[in-house]
Each structure stands twice: as structure tokens, then as C-alpha cells.
Amino acid sequence: MTFTANEFKTDLKPVWCPGCGDFAVLNSVHRALAAAGCAPHETILVSGIGCSSRLPGYVETYGLNSLHGRALPMATGAKLAAPRMTVVAVGGDGDGLAIGGNHFLHASRRNVDIAYFMMDNEIYGLTKGQAGPTTPTGDKTKSTTYGNPDPSIDPCALAIACGASWVARGFSGDVKGTTELMTRAIRHHGFAFLNILSPCVTWRGEEQHKEIRAKTRPIPAGHDATSREAAMRLTDEGEHVTTGVLYEVERPTLLDELVEIERRARGDGAATTREAILRAFLPAA
Amino acid sequence: MTFTANEFKTDLKPVWCPGCGDFAVLNSVHRALAAAGCAPHETILVSGIGCSSRLPGYVETYGLNSLHGRALPMATGAKLAAPRMTVVAVGGDGDGLAIGGNHFLHASRRNVDIAYFMMDNEIYGLTKGQAGPTTPTGDKTKSTTYGNPDPSIDPCALAIACGASWVARGFSGDVKGTTELMTRAIRHHGFAFLNILSPCVTWRGEEQHKEIRAKTRPIPAGHDATSREAAMRLTDEGEHVTTGVLYEVERPTLLDELVEIERRARGDGAATTREAILRAFLPAA
Amino acid sequence: MSKDVTFSIVGSGGDGAVVAGDLAAMACAAVGLHVIKTEAYGPQIRGGESSSTVRISPVPIAAQGDASEALIVFKFSDFARFRSEMPLAEGCIVLHEPDDPPPPELASYRCVPVPFAQLAKDAGAPGAKNIVALGLLAAMFNLPVDSIRTAMRKRFRKRDAAVIDANFRALDIGSAFPSPRVPREGQGEGRPRLLMSGNEATAFAALHAGCSFFAGYPITPSTEILQLLGEWLPKIGGSCLQTEDELAAIGAVVGASFAGSKSMTATSGPGLSLMSEMLGLSSIAEIPSVVVNVQRGGPSTGIPTKSEQSDLFHAVYGGHGDMPRVVLAPCDVEDAFHTTVDAFNIAEEFQLPVIVLSDQLIAQRRETIDAASLVHDVVQRRVPHDPDQSYQRYATTDDGVSPMTVPGIAGGMYQTNGLEHDEQGRPSSMFITHERMNAKRHRKLEAIAKKYPLFRRFGVNDPEVGILCWGSSAGPVAEAIEAMNTKGAGVAAFVPRILAPLPLRELQAFIDSCARIVIIELSYEQQFHRYLRSLIALPRDTRVHARSGGKSLSAIEVIEATAVLEEVMA
Amino acid sequence: MSKDVTFSIVGSGGDGAVVAGDLAAMACAAVGLHVIKTEAYGPQIRGGESSSTVRISPVPIAAQGDASEALIVFKFSDFARFRSEMPLAEGCIVLHEPDDPPPPELASYRCVPVPFAQLAKDAGAPGAKNIVALGLLAAMFNLPVDSIRTAMRKRFRKRDAAVIDANFRALDIGSAFPSPRVPREGQGEGRPRLLMSGNEATAFAALHAGCSFFAGYPITPSTEILQLLGEWLPKIGGSCLQTEDELAAIGAVVGASFAGSKSMTATSGPGLSLMSEMLGLSSIAEIPSVVVNVQRGGPSTGIPTKSEQSDLFHAVYGGHGDMPRVVLAPCDVEDAFHTTVDAFNIAEEFQLPVIVLSDQLIAQRRETIDAASLVHDVVQRRVPHDPDQSYQRYATTDDGVSPMTVPGIAGGMYQTNGLEHDEQGRPSSMFITHERMNAKRHRKLEAIAKKYPLFRRFGVNDPEVGILCWGSSAGPVAEAIEAMNTKGAGVAAFVPRILAPLPLRELQAFIDSCARIVIIELSYEQQFHRYLRSLIALPRDTRVHARSGGKSLSAIEVIEATAVLEEVMA
Ligand SMILES: Cc1ncc(C[n+]2csc(CCOP(=O)(O)OP(=O)(O)O)c2C)c(N)n1
Ligand SMILES: Cc1ncc(C[n+]2csc(CCOP(=O)(O)OP(=O)(O)O)c2C)c(N)n1
Ligand code: SF4
Ligand code: SF4
Ligand SMILES: [Mg+2]
Ligand SMILES: [Mg+2]
């Protein structure tokens, strides 16, 4: 049985500002879950804290809007506990790269079987406009009166470097394209990271939307998505930002590894019952 | 006035196991601090928790063996508070890449003006032999009865990806080479990361020392250390491990940025006294 | 004729309700009136419902005001979500758009239709509904119109003259519009007062205390402290670092302090929870640190935009092990300045972590302060400048404080850690060392209790009812006590400003002087009550008025909880 | 003739002191004797000083034994660091190498030179000093030699026959060597007993309770739990994840629990501090979680290898906001099994975080258990399997527990969060919702207090002295009470096994039945005493015996603290 995008909607009204890019992301999520053939009761959405992290409240699945920075470990636990469920983590750039940076590194490395959508507005929206890891260097924000001193991170470059097996970039303004990327991410076997440029009209200005549209470029024809180096090159092009699937490889996932471990654990002909395990503590007379 | 290696020794007896690679690292630290012209009272050594993190106790400087994973933020704070001091962070692979991974990412990105020596034994030594982020996949350890499921991280590759401006690898067995690399790291302008392969004879076996010696290769002649791609290539060579300076570039450091910010802050002719700042809160009648 | 008045303005989106409140507050502060201004918002990140409540008085006031005498509503649908938390005074004047009739439940109030939008249009400033409203309020309450104009000039300085003039017209049209007059006594002494929020007072206190390093991570309702110090510290040669998270923030603070700087971070509940481990290092390695924690509704993410007093347990008990720390709590905005300076003084003199427990109500309300009151002595760390061979970082002393060298001092080098350690800082796992060092570290608390018995006491002597409360609850309690005592009751309050170590001697004396004790706090678990019980004997018949936060405490609530007037009347 | 004996073996590097202790313990457990074995180490990571202390008895024993009747020392320089923490019984037999004379302070004991190294050489097993020593002990205390051989065969199974034979010779030579004989009563019932550590019992309990997911990060003294479940869970179709840190560990646990698995993590103080924030989410979102915290010396890194009871404050109070949680504490190794199963039962039934406060002494000592005692009912989560339209995740109920759907159940979808929320889980910042939901979540604690009044009580009825203690202190207290009461004193103890919510009714009844109360704990700050005071009235003359950890509590210490014998004798 399949479900329509509408069946993934809840009747809770988003708290987002009029014009926020996250509305379009939400729209894409509804469509992508349907397109990927997910069932609401067999889908788990986990987020951290932020404007973007409010998203699970607006999607009819098992949803958890958790703690700032912790979406990935929670999604990992959920996936290992319920491997048959589709598990998707969502959140903001600050949530995923500042306080959540370490989990991003290790979830990528372990190739956890989940999709992760990062709504990247280059700012801390919910706390009202402080610089974050993707805020361009030099930008003045509420917390950087004299300009942001820190070099900004390209989330896709970081994901590739950390070992994510599927890495793509999208733009919330392009609902069709984003929906397609989300669908592929959900279907990917392993950790699929999608960086979605999603304007914050309130703290990055009404212009951000146009600016992003202007600088995005589709993936160049003939790009070899299996090449780390080629993918990396598409992550630092100065002016432009490439959207599409930058990197895609097939390698064992965390679940694959755990299945293999279970095989070995049972295989060694050893104790696989409570009683047998206990016997090991009984000294022979 | 300069100091000798001996003047950097304390009379506290290391707790390390006989044969531990960290003895040689300690030896190199004593020599490098002297060689770099550091003064004991103008040097700060900060570490996390682990066998390796005990090192500051054996070096006559201002030393802080802090919390597991927190060496880098503490070293960053120390450097910003006392820019004239030489600040060196040290610790293990677990300390720096597992619990401390997020700080590693952000210290590299910010190009903090410190040197960071990671004693990499591919294991959690102090807790008696569990797998860590650099433990080879498949290895059996105390915590991976059926083999380590996780792909291992190359700390140098990660440092380069995160933006460190100086990245090198050394081998504790080569005291001369390691001392030289440490000296350069201390002198580097910005975040200098040195990954030191340092055997854990107790949990990785007496053989580890020989194995490392066998697989290390000196930096190839004509390597362009200013090229990210070239440096990256030297971080994944299967069998071999390249020692030496893999990557070295000059870019503004966190201190440079803060100096510039101070210039702007004072420059705008605005309030730079307590009184002037307070006046802003006094409404005009 | 009432001395002080309170009015509220409710709107949404571009209505500018909050701006109108700001202008009124600034104008009144400018002429020396006492002002307290609070705001409230709906869940919408922007463009949602917002309200501003302003209380004005010629004499000092301690709280935000129980109920509004006037309410301006641009749309009643926006008012709905504030209703349960915005009490209206009996006979409250409700001004509303003619085409938006008041809901039945407001019928009992004096509802006056005013065509705000139309009047603004007439003035040629279609967006200036709020300024029209401001004009009306000025006329109703006889507010200083000239200084409202000055405030508008400052606020709109970036707009062009034509717009400003149109706004002035809107103001005049508003004041000219027929509306009830509410005579109000006293115009203030003319000398302008500072208008500050608790977060601003805290950030300024850090400068005053000599803080030269701040590290923090944004979190509501403490973020303004990070933002202000990011702007101010570079001006005076200090530095501010926005870290990747709170673990790094407190780590950088303790690292900077180890290196010799007075250092601070600011956060709220979730961040304080994350800092627990590092505060333990600050405590055992005896490295000074100051953490400002602005409380909000909990647990977990809770209610980030509203006040509560439920981080007390974590502040006084949080963190594993026997971990000496100090906890201070300001009573109001001005006190946020003094407690923060005291926090630095205590941290530096006694080399331990000091937590300042502020709360959203103090941190984000704006309040008038007398500039002259912002003076406070500053203490420095005990640093031996030419230590000799015998220098021991953790030398045993009577008060437990051992002189602390800092990097740069020749011969002062030492190596320390978070392990148990001996006088030289050398790791030891021996029981005897552990017991000796625990004793040394805890002796500092006795010394602090003696030197800093910080508290406020108000009300009569030998009271019939003694109220125990802390933090922002002190304001409504103070006003309730004044009200009760003028009615002939004999009530007093003891408000500790240092929660750990508690000023036990003074507290005991107060309790002994009272016939009855009532405890008042905004914590469902009665954290303050249970904390007091763990340290001092409370009378069997002690009453406790404890409830969740999310709605600020009112003087009337305190009066009811105290249940003393009934008796007086009886 | 004494029923039970205690002996210690001290060595370093390759001396094999610990191996000898293990073999003795296994051999005695195998024949049904009761055994408790503890170990201690110097700071050296490996090759440093080590000691093993074994207590053997034909009747049940509750503690590790106050003092050793025999001490084997391969080098007195190694013994030095243990001296202050290893009491020797009067007339203790001290066996040592002839060329290593005992220090003067040991002169008062029965020192017997034994050429261990030489005898081992004679046996053709130069490395087997420890086996020679074991032979001596076997002869002295009449230990079951055959089952020592069996234990050796198991232990050395990887070595070749020749080596094993040489070791057997060493054992015989040792037993043959002239040494004092210490007659000991009782040989055990023959039926072998389980020999387990507290960490092993805890890990096994998780399997028993149906735990199918574990996530953790190594930390002394809890790491064995991670290691064992990493080995066991895959066997029964569960999974174990070693995470990057404790934040991820507890995050994964709560995530897995949300997805429907019984989940657990294990850590020690520093890790528990880092988990504070996530426990708040588990509490407000009502997602079951079990955290085993094995206490060690604190604060900060403290003394990782030694026991203390100073994480109590953090366990019962840690975390910002009003955060209901449950805290259990085992009294011994077997109890570590039962409390852990109860932890899962309570977490699953009441949907909140449950902390099990174990400690290093229980976690890492080995103790004999009767296999038959490891039975305990298992409770399941209330899951509505076909929820209808009206399903509300946080529906109001009498006991505060709302049925919880899990992913996979059609029609059971809900969206939750760490914000305050209404019955459907929708975020709300309204006071009324906050107060209502705080009440709902806290009602669960009342229900738990009724259903799980877990405690132990031993000693006489209507005692003259009532002791209050918890955790591993219960052992020495139990033995002290037996000793005192046999001498005619009337002492009893009340040991809560659930610390939050406390079994107040039962505790009050106990206190009322006692003439005097003595509190005994290993926390410098008197955490247990202060916690009790916050909830229950203690008699004015309550005595408190509280000190730092790092040295285990002895029965003698308890007897002195109770100061009751003097009176009896008087
Ligand atoms: C532990 C903790 N620290 C800080 C915060 C405050 N906080 C909430 S959201 C947020 C950042 C939001 O930025 P981002 O993740 O990019 O999401 P956005 O709002 O931009 O969509 C912060 C710092 C918190 N809730 N918890
Ligand atoms: C918060 C916290 N978690 C866990 C630990 C336990 N712990 C101490 S050292 C260590 C890892 C040591 O490995 P590494 O950093 O590689 O240092 P090594 O001992 O190998 O030199 C761990 C997990 C701790 N001390 N603190
Ligand atoms: S603040 Fe920015 S990110 Fe948040 S809802 Fe508004 S527009 Fe969107
Ligand atoms: S355990 Fe390993 S790392 Fe630690 S001291 Fe011993 S050899 Fe060195
Ligand atoms: Mg963002
Ligand atoms: Mg290591």
C-alpha cells in the first residue's frame, strides 16, 4: 500500500516566519516520503532544536523533535532498534555542524542507514540571528558585530571527508529537484546526506532567496559521482554552488556490519541462551 | 634566555607501562620545547584524559591534564587569554577523535594558534583496550569481540579536511624526526596538528612497534605541501603510512582575526570606556 | 489617585505594539520616572502575536505590576493567547478598533472603540497605529510627551524627516482623540534613569569586574549577554569567543582562567546541564570560573521564552562527586549587576566555580536603574609574583585558599589535573590524600559563608509571617508585603542572594523571629523548599506556595498564599 | 575456631598475585563455599603493584572482610602503598621472601620467611611463585586442593601440559612447605556457586530483563558492562553500539527506546554528568531509559579505580528543570541483578529515566551467588496495538502513565519533543499546560513509590540504634550489626534500594521504631544525610558518620560509629 503526500501532513500550523525557506522543504518532505513509498507508521523522523528542527511536528510519522545537536545519535539508535523502519534525521546547520558536529563526523564514518536533511540557512534562526558554522566569513550578525571571524564550513565537503556514502546539495526553492534528491537519499543504502540551502528571510534578509538562486548551478554533465576528488572539487568553487548528487558510493553500512557480527556471534557455536551465558560463571568443582 | 631539554623535565615518574611509545614522545617533547626556544614559565601544556594525556605531568611548564576530550577548547581559551604564551595541546586518539572530535573540527577550522600532538596508539589504552576511531576495521579488542565494525579515521586527512593549516605525521620510535616535527609545529603560525604513531605495547601487542616501523615511509621528494589534494593523497595509501609534513599553508589565525576585530571595535571611534558604554543606556530627556 | 500605572499593548506582525511600549518606557525613564517593562510573544518566530506591558511610577517599584489599568488591542484574536497570563485591573480601559468588538468576557471592562488604523492614515502615517495608541496613552496617563518625541527621534533616526513628522502627527492625533483621563501622581525628578535589562546589567557587570574573556553558545534567554560582550570586550582589549557548543564554552572559560584571565560564560538550563562535568574540574583543580545561568521553563527544552525557578537543584547539586561550588541569585535588574560582580570576586578569591542563577523575567525585562548605584568593589586573585622553591599550588591553608600562580610567572610552574591530587598537584589515589583535599576544598565554603552572607530582608521586625523566597520572586513579594503591612499585617521576607553556601546564621535568626513561615517559589518540585529543608530546620506548620513557572508571580498571589489578611480582617 | 578467613596476596609485575587470588576464589566457589574477592592496583597502568584479597566462609557473608589473617608479600616495597588501606588481623601470618625482611611496623605479626622464588624454581616452574603461595594458603586454611587443580587446568588450558604439570608441582611443594595451620570450619555444601562481579550481574540482568539495545562509551569502573553486552547481545539478536561519547550513548539509548526497544547505557560519574541534558528529554517526552552509573571517587576524574557514594546528589537532583526520574541502588552483587531488572521494569512501565547507582566496590569485586536466586519478573511497556482516532500519546491518567505506541503500529503515529507539550505532544508555552503536564509527570512518582517500596532491613525490632545507609555500605553494616547484636546490643538498619522516590512510609516507621539514628555513608558532603533531611524529619540527635571514599567501609568502623557497644559494656 502506498501513501500520498497529503497523508504525510499534520494539521499543526508551522511556527515559521512568512517566506521562510523551510516551508518549501516541508513540502518536499511530504512529497518525497510518498514518492519513496514510505508508510507513515513505518517512518521515524528525528530532529534536533532550531526553526528547521520543528519540521517533524508537521509530518505525520513517528516524530521526535529532540535536543540541540543530538538528532543523529537518536536516529542511529532508532534505526538499530527498528531496522525495518525508514529513519530520517533533519535539522539546521547549527544543530548539525556546531553542537552536533561530532555526531555528524561519526554517523558519516559509520555509514549509518539513515537519510539526513540539513536545512542550511547560514545562521542560527531560532535564537534570532547569530553566526553559525556555515555563515560566510566577515558577515555581520547578532553575535558578530565586527564581522564573523571564522571560515565557513561546506557541509558537503565535510560529509565526504568523514565518509558519508551519498552526498548531495539542494535548494529549498526548487521543490521538484529537492523532492527528487530526498527520494534518492531515502532509498540510498547507507548514510545519505542532503544539504538544503534554505533561506532565513528574517535574519539573512529577503534577498537571500534570490542570491542562492543566482549562485546555484546544476551538477556538470559527466561528473563522476564515485570519485572523491571530483566530488570534493565541486564543493569549493568560489562564486558558484553546485546542486545535485555530488558523491555516491556503495559500501557496507552499520547495519550490514552488525548483521555480520550477529552471524559471527551465533556462528561460533557458543552460548546463545541466557542459561548458557550464565553457565560460564559457574566454576567446575 | 634559552632552556635545555633537561630543564623541561619534572621528577614525577610516568605511570606508563614499560615499553610504551609515550616515553619516546615525552622525550621528544622535552627536546622540542628546548629547540623551539620556549621558556617553561611561558609555556602551557593542556591535555585531556588517557595514558597519553598524563604527559603534561612530566613536563616542567604550566600543565593541565584536564577532562576527556576537552584539551582543545581549554587550550584555545588559554591562548586567547595569554597570547604571549606558547600553548601546546596533547592527548590520545580517543581523546581527540572520539569524545573530542567536534573540538578537533572547530579548532582546525578556526586555525587556533596552538600546536596539537596526538599520540595515536589505535586504541583506548587507559581504559584497558577498547576500540577507538583509529583502530583498524575488523580488529578484535576488549569492546569488539567479533571485530571492529567501524571504518577507521585517518587523523591527518580529517585535519586537512577541517582546515588545519599545518598537518604532519610522526612515529614515536623516531625521536629525532618527531622532535623536529614538534619544533616546527610549535613555530607554525596557526593550528599545527601532529599525529604521532605511538605503540601501546599492552593492548596492541609488543609487535605494534615493529609493524609501524615497517609501514612508515618518509615524505616523497617533491611533495607539494601547499596542495590539499596532494596532501590528501598521502593520507590514503593502503599499506604504507607517510611521515613528515603533509600539508602546510599560511592563512589568518584566530588571533589574527581577533586583533582585526579589536581594531574595528576601537576604530569606530565609539565608546571604549566603561562609562561610555553605560551612557548608551541613558535615555535622553 | 494612584501613584503608579500599568498598561499593555497587544498586536501582531507589523502592529508595532512592542515599539510603542519601548518608546513609552524610554520617555518615562528619561524624565526620571521608575519603569518596568515586560514583553511576551506567541510561538511564531516572527510576525506572530506580541505584547508589551509597561509599569510607570514616581516612586521605586519592585515588580512588573499585577494588572493593567489600560489595554490596547489591535486585534482581539491576538489577545486570546495572552489572556490567561495578563490580568486586567478592575475597570480596566480597553481600547480597540471599532470593527473588532470585544469578546463577551471583556464586557465588564470599560471598552472604548478607537479607529487606530484610520487615525494613522489621517496622520499620513498608515503604519503608525502604534504611535496613535501611544498618543492616547500619553493623554490618558499624562505621560511626558516631549520626551516621547525625543525617544521617537532617536528610534526613527534612520527614517527620513517626512516619515518622522507624520509619526509626530499620529502622536498628536492620538493624544487629541477623546479618551478617559486617569489622573496619575508625580512626574519623576527629571534626572534621567538608566533603562536596562538583566542581561545588559550582567554583561556590564562583567566589564566592571574586570572580565577579559567570555566564551559562550547562544541560548534563549541568555543570548544577549554573548552578543553584548562580543561587542564590548574587543573595545577594552578583552576577547569573546562563540564556541561550537557549551562544552567548549565552559572549557575555554576554565582554560582562560587557568591562564590568568577573569573569565565567564552565560547559558540557560540545557547548557548548564552540559557544563556539569567541566564545573567539577574547575572545582577540584581550583580554577576560578563564572557561569551565568538564565533560568527558563524546564525540564529539557521546556518553555524557552518564559521564567521559572527550577534550575536550583542542578545549580547547587549538579555534577558528580563532592564538588564545592557557589551559587548566587539576583533579585532584580540592578541586583544582576551586583551579584555578577560578587560572582567574579568570590570565584577569583576562592578559586572555585560560581554560578549566577538569573531568570528570564529579570534577564529580559527592562527596568530603570540609578546610574549611581552601579558601583561595587572588585577583588583580585591571590597571585604570588615571585614564588620560591617551596611554592606548592595546593598548599594547606586555614581558609583552604592556596595562592595561585599564572603562566608567565617564572618559578611558578605547576602541573595540575582533575584527578585527586596532593599539595603539589600530583595525582594520588590514596584515601588519606582524598580526605585531606576534600577537607581543604570544602573549608573554602565556610570562609565564603562568613564573608558573603548575602541576603535581602524587608518588612517588619518580629513578623507574624516570614516569607522565604529567592530570585525574581522577591519583587512581587516585596510589593505584597508593603500592601499587607499597610493594611496592618506584620509580614517580612528573607531573600538569600547567595544560595550556596546559604547564610545559615542569618536565616536561622530570621526564622526564629517569625511566628509562621511561608515559602514561595516557581518550581513544581518545591526545589527551594526541599533545599532549605536539607540544611535548616523549618517549623512544622511551614506553608509552601510552589507552582510551575510560565506565568510570573503576582503580589496578589503572594498575599493569598500568605493568608494573613483574612486574619487581620477577622 | 573461626568460620571464615580472609587472606591477601601482594605483588607487582609478573608476580601473579591476582591470578593466585582468582584460583583460590574459583576453587572455593566450586565446592559451594561463600567467597568475596577484591583487588587493588597502584597507579601504574601495567606492571605496577597489585593485591588480591579473598574472604572465604561456609556461611553467607556480606562484605569483603575487615582484616586479613594471612598476608603473602613478594616484595615489601610493593606492600607499602596498600598498607593504609589493608588492615591486618591481630596475629596475622605474614609470609615473605627470606631476603626481604619485614619492615619494623610489621614486627608484631607472625612473620614467616618462605623462599617462594626458590621453591618455584625447584618445581621447574620459575614463574610460579604465586602457585607456591597458593599451595601454602591451601595447606594453612585447608582449602579444597582438588578443585584448585581444576581451576588451574581451566585457567592454564592454553599452556602446554609440561607447564601445567610444573605448576601442579609448585602447588604441592607449597602445600608441603612447613607453615602454621589455621583450622577453619565448614567445607561448603559441594554444590558450586556462581562467581560474578557486580558489572557481570548487571549485564546479565539486562539480558534477563529483555534489553535488546545497549550503547555506551568506555569508562572505569563500568566498562565491563559495555564489553559483556557487546559480546552477548549479538547472540540473542540485540545490538550494542560503542559510541563516540556519552552524549551519543544516551542519545542512542533514548532513540532506540522511542523506536520500541528496551535500552540501556552504563557509565561512571563523568559520563553521568554529560548525560544530564538527555535524561531531561527522556523525562519530559516520557521515553523509558535505563542508565547504570558505577560510582568512583569524585569530583571530576577523581579516583577512577576506587569506590565512593558521592554521585547521589547528581543522580537524584541533576539536570535542569523539574525532572522526574527514578534512582535505584544495589546493596551487593546479587542485588545488582535485581535492581537492574527492576530498573527496566520501572522505566518501561512508567516511561521515565531510571538510574541505577552501583559503585566500584560492588561492580568489580567477585562474589558467590546462588544461581537459583537470579529470577525476577519482567514487566512490559503499555503499548496500545490498535489505537483509534482518539489516541493521545500523553492522555491524562490517574497514575500519569499514558499508553505509548511504537513505530510500526498503524494509526499510532505521534510527534513529540522536549518542549512543554499538551496531551497530543504539541508544543505549548502556556502556563496552564505546563502546570497540568508537570502534575501528570510527577504523579508517576507517587505510583512508583506505592508499587516499589524497595528496601532491606536487618537487625532487631524496636532497635536502640537504627542505622541508615545505602549501596555497598550495607554489607559492612550488616556484619557490624550481627557482631553488635551477638554482643547484646540492639541494632537494626534500614537500607533503601530505591532512593528516588524514597519509600517514605516504611522509612518513617523504621525511624519511629528506633531510639537513636546513625547515618553511615562514603560522601564527604554527607549527600545521603542531606538528601534524607530534605524529605523526612530526622531526630535532633541523629549521628552522621560520613567520610570520603577511596577506602572501603569496615564493620569495625561501623561499630565505632554506632558507639553502642561501649554502652552495652558499660
Ligand atoms: C544545549 C542547547 N544549546 C543551545 C540551545 C539554543 N538553540 C536553540 S536552536 C539553536 C541554533 C539554531 O540554529 P540551526 O540549528 O541552524 O537551526 P535554524 O533555527 O537556523 O533552523 C540554538 C543555539 C539549545 N536549545 N540547547
Ligand atoms: C567523560 C569521560 N568518558 C570516559 C572516560 C574514560 N576514559 C578515560 S581515557 C579514555 C580513552 C583513552 O584513549 P586515548 O584517548 O586514545 O588515550 P590512550 O590511553 O590510548 O593514550 C576513556 C574512554 C573519562 N575519563 N571521561
Ligand atoms: S527565523 Fe529564519 S529560519 Fe527561523 S522561521 Fe524565521 S525565516 Fe525561517
Ligand atoms: S596501556 Fe598502552 S598506552 Fe597506556 S601506558 Fe600502557 S602501553 Fe602505554
Ligand atoms: Mg540555521
Ligand atoms: Mg589511544
Side-chain angles (χ1 to χ4, degrees), chain C residues 290-346:
Chain C
V290 173
V291 176
V292 175
N293 181 72
V294 182
Q295 298 173 99
R296 62 191 216 183
S300 196
T301 307
I303 305 182
T305 55
K306 291 185 168 180
S307 205
E308 188 163 88
Q309 301 185 291
S310 59
D311 293 351
L312 174 63
F313 274 165
H314 191 77
V316 297
Y317 294 123
H320 64 284
D322 289 318
M323 177 189 139
R325 96 286 311 269
V326 169
V327 179
L328 304 177
C331 301
D332 56 34
V333 172
E334 180 189 319
D335 200 31
F337 168 84
H338 295 292
T339 35
T340 305
V341 179
D342 275 328
F344 277 99
N345 288 348
I346 296 172

Side-chain angles (χ1 to χ4, degrees), chain B residues 263-282:
Chain B
R263 200 186 54 68
R264 293 189 204 127
R266 295 174 179 279
D268 65 3
T272 61
T273 66
R274 186 183 163 287
E275 295 63 30
I277 287 170
L278 196 56
R279 223 169 290 124
F281 295 95
L282 204 59

Side-chain angles (χ1 to χ4, degrees), chain B residues 16-17 20 22 51 121 125 200-203, chain D residues 45:
Chain B
W16 297 320
C17 308
C20 174
D22 295 347
C51 296
N121 53 13
C200 169
V201 295
T202 300
W203 307 114
Chain D
I45 311 290

Side-chain angles (χ1 to χ4, degrees), chain A residues 15-22 51-52 121 123-126 128 198-204, chain C residues 45-46:
Chain A
V15 296
W16 297 320
C17 308
C20 174
D22 295 347
C51 295
S52 42
N121 54 13
I123 197 80
Y124 289 175
L126 188 62
K128 306 197 180 299
S198 179
C200 170
V201 295
T202 299
W203 307 114
R204 298 291 293 165
Chain C
I45 310 289
R46 197 201 58 197

Side-chain angles (χ1 to χ4, degrees), chain B residues 131-147:
Chain B
T134 60
T135 306
T137 313
D139 279 20
K140 291 188 175 174
T141 70
K142 286 267 198 74
S143 60
T144 56
T145 314
Y146 310 104

Side-chain angles (χ1 to χ4, degrees), chain B residues 22 49-53 67-68 70 91-96 99 119 121-127 130 200, chain C residues 277, chain D residues 217-220 246 267 270-271 274 296 301:
Chain B
D22 295 347
I49 295 284
C51 296
S52 42
S53 291
L67 294 185
H68 193 39
R70 312 300 164 214
D93 42 280
D95 192 66
I99 193 167
M119 296 172 241
N121 53 13
E122 306 181 332
I123 196 82
Y124 290 173
L126 188 62
T127 45
Q130 300 78 27
C200 169
Chain C
E277 189 197 10
Chain D
Y217 188 74
I219 183 166
T220 306
E246 288 86 352
T267 187
L274 289 172
R296 62 191 217 184
T301 307

Side-chain angles (χ1 to χ4, degrees), chain D residues 192-506:
Chain D
R193 299 180 181 284
L194 295 165
L195 190 63
M196 283 184 123
S197 73
N199 280 340
E200 289 163 345
T202 298
F204 181 72
L207 294 188
H208 179 89
C211 172
S212 58
F213 182 78
F214 180 92
Y217 188 74
I219 183 166
T220 306
S222 77
T223 310
E224 295 80 9
I225 298 172
L226 163 67
Q227 294 172 174
L228 286 168
L229 289 173
E231 183 185 338
W232 293 344
L233 281 172
K235 293 175 181 292
I236 61 161
S239 50
C240 178
L241 183 70
Q242 183 182 323
T243 53
E244 55 271 30
D245 63 14
E246 288 86 352
L247 302 166
I250 185 65
V253 162
V254 176
S257 181
F258 175 75
S261 286
K262 291 187 179 182
S263 310
M264 173 173 109
T265 186
T267 187
S268 187
L272 188 67
S273 285
L274 289 172
M275 295 180 182
S276 314
E277 189 197 10
M278 185 59 76
L279 291 176
L281 179 65
S282 170
S283 185
I284 194 173
E286 303 189 52
I287 301 169
S289 62
V290 173
V291 177
V292 174
N293 181 71
V294 182
Q295 299 172 100
R296 62 191 217 184
S300 196
T301 307
I303 306 182
T305 55
K306 292 185 167 181
S307 205
E308 188 163 89
Q309 301 185 290
S310 60
D311 293 351
L312 173 62
F313 274 165
H314 191 78
V316 298
Y317 294 123
H320 65 284
D322 289 317
M323 177 190 139
R325 96 286 311 269
V326 169
V327 179
L328 305 177
C331 302
D332 56 34
V333 171
E334 181 189 320
D335 200 31
F337 168 85
H338 294 291
T339 38
T340 305
V341 179
D342 276 329
F344 277 98
N345 288 349
I346 296 172
E348 293 291 321
E349 180 175 357
F350 294 93
Q351 302 174 23
L352 39 57
V354 179
I355 297 170
V356 177
L357 271 187
S358 178
D359 62 43
Q360 184 275 337
L361 186 59
I362 292 173
Q364 296 192 319
R365 78 178 181 220
R366 278 217 157 60
E367 190 170 327
T368 44
I369 304 179
D370 182 345
S373 69
L374 298 190
V375 292
H376 196 117
D377 288 349
V378 171
V379 175
Q380 307 302 341
R381 199 180 291 189
R382 287 190 222 163
V383 178
H385 285 286
D386 39 26
D388 61 16
Q389 284 305 333
S390 69
Y391 174 68
Q392 290 192 319
R393 168 64 184 97
Y394 299 108
T396 311
T397 60
D398 291 349
D399 63 1
V401 181
S402 321
M404 175 179 184
T405 55
V406 300
I409 295 179
M413 291 82 70
Y414 66 96
Q415 296 78 43
T416 189
N417 49 71
L419 290 152
E420 186 54 277
H421 44 246
D422 64 15
E423 285 69 7
Q424 290 178 67
R426 297 181 163 195
S428 164
S429 59
M430 306 285 279
F431 162 74
I432 37 174
T433 315
H434 187 33
E435 177 72 14
R436 190 172 71 246
M437 293 316 246
N438 260 336
K440 169 207 195 295
R441 291 188 292 264
H442 285 83
R443 277 204 301 281
K444 296 193 283 186
L445 294 180
E446 296 158 29
I448 293 165
K450 278 206 198 63
K451 185 163 178 183
Y452 292 89
L454 308 174
F455 66 92
R456 278 193 192 169
R457 185 200 187 290
F458 27 75
V460 303
N461 292 334
D462 306 315
E464 176 190 348
V465 174
I467 297 178
L468 303 180
C469 67
W470 68 285
S472 62
S473 299
V477 165
E479 302 217 331
I481 287 180
E482 198 184 330
M484 291 187 278
N485 291 351
T486 48
K487 287 214 178 64
V491 184
F494 185 96
V495 186
R497 295 170 57 244
I498 182 167
L499 295 169
L502 265 181
L504 284 174
R505 240 177 51 292
E506 296 76 4

